[in-house]
Amino acid sequence: MSRNLVELAGPDVAADFTRETIVVVGTGAIEHHGPHLPLNTDYLLADTIGGSAVDQAAADGLDIWRLPTLAFTKSDEHSWAPGTVWLDWDTMYKTCVEIGRAVNTMGAGTLVFANGHGGNTALLQVVLREIRKLYGLKTFLMPTLIRTPPPAGEGLDERNLGIHGGAAETSIVLHMRPELVDLSRAERWVPEHLADFEYIGFNAMPVSFGWLSNDFGPAGVVGDATQATSAFGERLYDASVAQAVASLHEIARFDHKQIG
């Protein structure tokens, strides 16, 4: 049975949705990913992994449905590059809050954003609180791409800087849609100098900084796509779907009253 909410008739939503119903919205992006990856890389992550997770969670018995994945989101760090389509922060903020309003009107009780683009994260965290405040929904944000080591013997070395168009994203697109990847155009685009800072950086370093993707060079990539393999991509895909399914099960049993 399809879990695409938009394939239901309106009266069925009204009759069947309860406060136990979970609605998942993927948040992707259409943005520059270097010369070797397609513009829809982050959209593929959100839509494909998020959709598989919803299907598996529903097969496990969860009352869960998915709305269409948002393609155009907050990608202004890549706005310098042709092909990027982005929303201003306030447009995306209002859009997501109004999706929350609609989900509340449906009678569902939980809204989950399954995010495939790191540039959306901070804004979506603000959105979660606003929807919670306005409509009382349980709101969650979960990633669709897990961070996991490469298969044994593949020696991935991006100095913890593979955040955009590097080995992980290139590998998972190689697994999901290999015809969209051109490894002959891949290079190592790692800002080695940044790895030497003790506090400033990405990936949970204590000091973050504002950046545009072309701050790191004209390719607009941060990572080493030459190390990508379809085997690593398959491992990432399987682990990402498994984590998303497990996350949805935790979300289903989460109770705010138990955290007070």
Side-chain angles (χ1 to χ4, degrees):
M1 176 182 179
S2 170
R3 306 309 295 184
N4 291 320
L5 196 158
V6 295
E7 295 177 4
L8 295 172
D12 294 333
V13 172
D16 297 339
F17 279 30
T18 73
R19 283 320 227 187
E20 300 302 314
T21 302
I22 300 168
V23 175
V24 176
V25 180
T27 48
I30 303 299
E31 64 182 30
H32 178 77
H33 269 78
H36 61 299
L37 283 177
L39 295 166
N40 67 343
T41 292
D42 291 350
Y43 179 88
L44 287 172
L45 294 175
D47 193 60
T48 306
I49 296 171
S52 294
V54 168
D55 289 344
Q56 289 192 30
D60 292 341
L62 293 190
D63 179 10
I64 188 167
W65 298 86
R66 63 183 300 228
L67 283 169
T69 298
L70 298 182
F72 309 130
T73 58
K74 188 183 178 298
S75 296
D76 50 341
E77 67 269 35
H78 311 290
S79 60
W80 60 272
T84 300
V85 183
W86 72 97
L87 303 180
D88 291 335
W89 72 267
D90 52 343
T91 303
M92 182 179 171
Y93 172 83
K94 291 175 182 177
T95 298
C96 291
V97 171
E98 289 169 5
I99 289 172
R101 179 183 64 192
V103 169
N104 182 60
T105 301
M106 294 175 192
T110 299
L111 174 59
V112 181
F113 293 98
N115 184 43
H117 169 50
N120 292 331
T121 302
L123 183 59
L124 287 172
Q125 288 170 340
V126 178
V127 165
L128 298 186
R129 293 189 289 272
E130 186 69 6
I131 294 173
R132 175 91 183 132
K133 179 184 72 176
L134 291 176
Y135 307 115
L137 292 175
K138 293 193 291 184
T139 53
F140 300 88
L141 170 62
M142 69 180 195
T144 51
L145 178 60
I146 195 173
R147 290 182 57 80
T148 189
E154 295 205 15
L156 182 63
D157 175 24
E158 294 178 292
R159 304 195 69 185
N160 203 35
L161 295 172
I163 67 160
H164 181 70
E169 286 189 326
T170 305
S171 293
I172 202 164
V173 180
L174 270 174
H175 172 64
M176 295 189 299
R177 294 289 303 277
E179 74 278 9
L180 299 180
V181 182
D182 186 353
L183 283 181
S184 71
R185 304 174 76 180
E187 297 180 27
R188 180 176 175 85
W189 296 289
V190 175
E192 306 287 350
H193 65 284
L194 186 57
D196 294 330
F197 284 91
E198 184 176 356
Y199 302 107
I200 301 172
F202 305 114
N203 298 326
M205 291 287 279
V207 180
S208 57
F209 61 99
W211 57 274
L212 304 176
S213 58
N214 61 340
D215 287 338
F216 306 101
V221 176
V222 188
D224 187 351
T226 68
Q227 299 184 46
T229 68
S230 58
F232 184 28
E234 182 178 11
R235 177 176 176 176
L236 280 171
Y237 179 84
D238 291 344
S240 295
V241 172
Q243 176 178 278
V245 173
S247 297
L248 291 170
H249 279 280
E250 283 199 358
I251 286 167
R253 66 174 188 268
F254 183 87
D255 185 351
H256 284 86
K257 295 177 182 177
Q258 296 178 355
I259 63 174

mmCIF file of all heavy atoms in Angstrom, residues 16 19-20 39 51 58 64 73 77 80 107 139 173 181 188 196 202 211 219 245 248 259:
data_model
loop_
_atom_site.group_PDB
_atom_site.id
_atom_site.type_symbol
_atom_site.label_atom_id
_atom_site.label_comp_id
_atom_site.label_asym_id
_atom_site.label_seq_id
_atom_site.Cartn_x
_atom_site.Cartn_y
_atom_site.Cartn_z
ATOM 1 N N ASP A 16 -9.588 8.990 8.916
ATOM 2 C CA ASP A 16 -8.624 8.004 9.407
ATOM 3 C C ASP A 16 -7.479 8.583 10.229
ATOM 4 O O ASP A 16 -6.851 7.861 11.004
ATOM 5 C CB ASP A 16 -8.037 7.219 8.225
ATOM 6 C CG ASP A 16 -9.096 6.409 7.483
ATOM 7 O OD1 ASP A 16 -10.147 6.139 8.089
ATOM 8 O OD2 ASP A 16 -8.861 6.060 6.312
ATOM 9 N N ARG A 19 -4.360 11.662 16.355
ATOM 10 C CA ARG A 19 -3.168 12.253 16.948
ATOM 11 C C ARG A 19 -2.023 11.248 17.026
ATOM 12 O O ARG A 19 -0.894 11.619 17.324
ATOM 13 C CB ARG A 19 -3.478 12.819 18.333
ATOM 14 C CG ARG A 19 -4.223 14.150 18.318
ATOM 15 C CD ARG A 19 -3.750 15.119 17.252
ATOM 16 N NE ARG A 19 -3.535 16.467 17.716
ATOM 17 C CZ ARG A 19 -3.257 17.506 16.918
ATOM 18 N NH1 ARG A 19 -3.188 17.340 15.613
ATOM 19 N NH2 ARG A 19 -3.032 18.706 17.413
ATOM 20 N N GLU A 20 -2.274 9.988 16.706
ATOM 21 C CA GLU A 20 -1.201 8.997 16.624
ATOM 22 C C GLU A 20 -0.566 8.959 15.232
ATOM 23 O O GLU A 20 0.461 8.315 15.032
ATOM 24 C CB GLU A 20 -1.754 7.603 16.952
ATOM 25 C CG GLU A 20 -2.366 7.492 18.345
ATOM 26 C CD GLU A 20 -1.359 7.845 19.429
ATOM 27 O OE1 GLU A 20 -0.212 7.362 19.360
ATOM 28 O OE2 GLU A 20 -1.722 8.633 20.330
ATOM 29 N N LEU A 39 22.492 18.277 -9.657
ATOM 30 C CA LEU A 39 21.917 19.315 -8.814
ATOM 31 C C LEU A 39 20.944 18.753 -7.784
ATOM 32 O O LEU A 39 20.737 19.352 -6.726
ATOM 33 C CB LEU A 39 21.198 20.350 -9.691
ATOM 34 C CG LEU A 39 22.069 21.158 -10.648
ATOM 35 C CD1 LEU A 39 21.198 21.868 -11.678
ATOM 36 C CD2 LEU A 39 22.915 22.166 -9.877
ATOM 37 N N GLY A 51 11.646 8.163 1.843
ATOM 38 C CA GLY A 51 10.522 7.350 1.381
ATOM 39 C C GLY A 51 10.663 5.892 1.761
ATOM 40 O O GLY A 51 9.690 5.246 2.183
ATOM 41 N N ALA A 58 5.959 1.838 8.109
ATOM 42 C CA ALA A 58 4.544 1.476 7.944
ATOM 43 C C ALA A 58 4.370 -0.038 7.940
ATOM 44 O O ALA A 58 3.420 -0.568 8.539
ATOM 45 C CB ALA A 58 3.996 2.080 6.658
ATOM 46 N N ILE A 64 1.822 5.993 9.609
ATOM 47 C CA ILE A 64 2.752 6.990 9.083
ATOM 48 C C ILE A 64 2.523 7.219 7.601
ATOM 49 O O ILE A 64 2.247 6.271 6.849
ATOM 50 C CB ILE A 64 4.211 6.556 9.362
ATOM 51 C CG1 ILE A 64 5.202 7.652 8.998
ATOM 52 C CG2 ILE A 64 4.554 5.234 8.690
ATOM 53 C CD1 ILE A 64 6.597 7.405 9.542
ATOM 54 N N THR A 73 14.757 24.771 -1.238
ATOM 55 C CA THR A 73 14.892 25.084 0.188
ATOM 56 C C THR A 73 15.972 26.144 0.370
ATOM 57 O O THR A 73 16.244 26.935 -0.529
ATOM 58 C CB THR A 73 15.205 23.807 0.989
ATOM 59 O OG1 THR A 73 16.420 23.215 0.484
ATOM 60 C CG2 THR A 73 14.076 22.777 0.877
ATOM 61 N N GLU A 77 23.898 29.392 0.201
ATOM 62 C CA GLU A 77 25.361 29.273 0.231
ATOM 63 C C GLU A 77 25.918 28.820 -1.122
ATOM 64 O O GLU A 77 27.125 28.912 -1.371
ATOM 65 C CB GLU A 77 25.813 28.330 1.347
ATOM 66 C CG GLU A 77 25.442 26.878 1.175
ATOM 67 C CD GLU A 77 24.106 26.515 1.794
ATOM 68 O OE1 GLU A 77 23.180 27.360 1.763
ATOM 69 O OE2 GLU A 77 23.967 25.375 2.295
ATOM 70 N N TRP A 80 25.712 31.397 -5.827
ATOM 71 C CA TRP A 80 26.646 31.901 -6.839
ATOM 72 C C TRP A 80 26.727 30.984 -8.063
ATOM 73 O O TRP A 80 27.183 31.411 -9.126
ATOM 74 C CB TRP A 80 28.053 32.015 -6.229
ATOM 75 C CG TRP A 80 28.580 30.690 -5.741
ATOM 76 C CD1 TRP A 80 28.381 30.145 -4.503
ATOM 77 C CD2 TRP A 80 29.341 29.740 -6.476
ATOM 78 N NE1 TRP A 80 28.964 28.901 -4.419
ATOM 79 C CE2 TRP A 80 29.575 28.627 -5.617
ATOM 80 C CE3 TRP A 80 29.867 29.700 -7.766
ATOM 81 C CZ2 TRP A 80 30.299 27.500 -6.022
ATOM 82 C CZ3 TRP A 80 30.587 28.581 -8.171
ATOM 83 C CH2 TRP A 80 30.806 27.503 -7.293
ATOM 84 N N GLY A 107 -5.560 16.505 11.326
ATOM 85 C CA GLY A 107 -5.841 15.704 12.510
ATOM 86 C C GLY A 107 -4.683 14.861 12.977
ATOM 87 O O GLY A 107 -4.787 14.152 13.978
ATOM 88 N N THR A 139 6.994 17.677 16.967
ATOM 89 C CA THR A 139 7.769 18.013 15.774
ATOM 90 C C THR A 139 9.189 17.488 15.914
ATOM 91 O O THR A 139 9.794 17.571 16.994
ATOM 92 C CB THR A 139 7.800 19.531 15.549
ATOM 93 O OG1 THR A 139 8.243 20.187 16.745
ATOM 94 C CG2 THR A 139 6.430 20.049 15.148
ATOM 95 N N VAL A 173 25.135 8.494 -4.165
ATOM 96 C CA VAL A 173 24.498 8.692 -5.468
ATOM 97 C C VAL A 173 24.988 7.639 -6.459
ATOM 98 O O VAL A 173 24.222 7.156 -7.300
ATOM 99 C CB VAL A 173 24.732 10.119 -5.994
ATOM 100 C CG1 VAL A 173 24.066 10.298 -7.359
ATOM 101 C CG2 VAL A 173 24.174 11.156 -5.017
ATOM 102 N N VAL A 181 26.406 10.238 -11.994
ATOM 103 C CA VAL A 181 27.727 10.566 -11.451
ATOM 104 C C VAL A 181 28.787 10.457 -12.539
ATOM 105 O O VAL A 181 28.813 9.485 -13.296
ATOM 106 C CB VAL A 181 28.083 9.628 -10.280
ATOM 107 C CG1 VAL A 181 29.436 10.016 -9.678
ATOM 108 C CG2 VAL A 181 27.000 9.660 -9.205
ATOM 109 N N ARG A 188 40.089 15.958 -5.500
ATOM 110 C CA ARG A 188 40.146 16.161 -4.048
ATOM 111 C C ARG A 188 40.009 17.656 -3.780
ATOM 112 O O ARG A 188 40.874 18.447 -4.177
ATOM 113 C CB ARG A 188 41.457 15.637 -3.469
ATOM 114 C CG ARG A 188 41.570 15.822 -1.946
ATOM 115 C CD ARG A 188 42.847 15.200 -1.388
ATOM 116 N NE ARG A 188 43.013 15.460 0.020
ATOM 117 C CZ ARG A 188 42.466 14.730 1.023
ATOM 118 N NH1 ARG A 188 41.725 13.670 0.705
ATOM 119 N NH2 ARG A 188 42.660 15.024 2.280
ATOM 120 N N ASP A 196 43.626 22.130 10.324
ATOM 121 C CA ASP A 196 44.646 22.397 11.332
ATOM 122 C C ASP A 196 44.144 23.247 12.495
ATOM 123 O O ASP A 196 44.848 23.413 13.494
ATOM 124 C CB ASP A 196 45.852 23.098 10.677
ATOM 125 C CG ASP A 196 46.562 22.191 9.682
ATOM 126 O OD1 ASP A 196 46.535 20.964 9.885
ATOM 127 O OD2 ASP A 196 47.124 22.715 8.701
ATOM 128 N N PHE A 202 33.721 22.171 10.854
ATOM 129 C CA PHE A 202 32.408 21.586 10.634
ATOM 130 C C PHE A 202 32.215 20.391 11.572
ATOM 131 O O PHE A 202 33.083 20.052 12.367
ATOM 132 C CB PHE A 202 32.285 21.103 9.189
ATOM 133 C CG PHE A 202 32.560 22.160 8.157
ATOM 134 C CD1 PHE A 202 33.667 22.064 7.326
ATOM 135 C CD2 PHE A 202 31.703 23.224 7.992
ATOM 136 C CE1 PHE A 202 33.919 23.016 6.349
ATOM 137 C CE2 PHE A 202 31.947 24.195 7.020
ATOM 138 C CZ PHE A 202 33.056 24.087 6.204
ATOM 139 N N TRP A 211 29.791 30.722 5.838
ATOM 140 C CA TRP A 211 30.553 30.413 4.635
ATOM 141 C C TRP A 211 29.645 30.284 3.418
ATOM 142 O O TRP A 211 28.444 30.028 3.547
ATOM 143 C CB TRP A 211 31.361 29.125 4.807
ATOM 144 C CG TRP A 211 30.555 27.908 5.166
ATOM 145 C CD1 TRP A 211 30.191 27.512 6.423
ATOM 146 C CD2 TRP A 211 29.995 26.937 4.266
ATOM 147 N NE1 TRP A 211 29.451 26.359 6.373
ATOM 148 C CE2 TRP A 211 29.319 25.973 5.061
ATOM 149 C CE3 TRP A 211 30.026 26.781 2.891
ATOM 150 C CZ2 TRP A 211 28.658 24.883 4.501
ATOM 151 C CZ3 TRP A 211 29.367 25.689 2.318
ATOM 152 C CH2 TRP A 211 28.694 24.752 3.133
ATOM 153 N N ALA A 219 35.265 25.054 -7.509
ATOM 154 C CA ALA A 219 34.431 23.857 -7.678
ATOM 155 C C ALA A 219 33.242 23.858 -6.739
ATOM 156 O O ALA A 219 32.244 23.173 -6.983
ATOM 157 C CB ALA A 219 35.258 22.593 -7.458
ATOM 158 N N VAL A 245 14.488 4.489 10.036
ATOM 159 C CA VAL A 245 13.384 3.653 10.520
ATOM 160 C C VAL A 245 13.404 3.577 12.047
ATOM 161 O O VAL A 245 12.365 3.737 12.708
ATOM 162 C CB VAL A 245 13.447 2.244 9.906
ATOM 163 C CG1 VAL A 245 12.414 1.328 10.546
ATOM 164 C CG2 VAL A 245 13.246 2.311 8.399
ATOM 165 N N LEU A 248 12.128 6.770 13.495
ATOM 166 C CA LEU A 248 10.672 6.905 13.412
ATOM 167 C C LEU A 248 9.974 6.092 14.502
ATOM 168 O O LEU A 248 8.945 6.524 15.048
ATOM 169 C CB LEU A 248 10.189 6.492 12.024
ATOM 170 C CG LEU A 248 10.582 7.452 10.893
ATOM 171 C CD1 LEU A 248 10.275 6.840 9.532
ATOM 172 C CD2 LEU A 248 9.881 8.800 11.051
ATOM 173 N N ILE A 259 9.484 14.075 29.673
ATOM 174 C CA ILE A 259 10.763 14.778 29.708
ATOM 175 C C ILE A 259 10.718 15.984 30.631
ATOM 176 O O ILE A 259 11.699 16.703 30.767
ATOM 177 C CB ILE A 259 11.209 15.212 28.290
ATOM 178 C CG1 ILE A 259 10.212 16.204 27.678
ATOM 179 C CG2 ILE A 259 11.395 14.010 27.403
ATOM 180 C CD1 ILE A 259 10.679 16.770 26.354
#
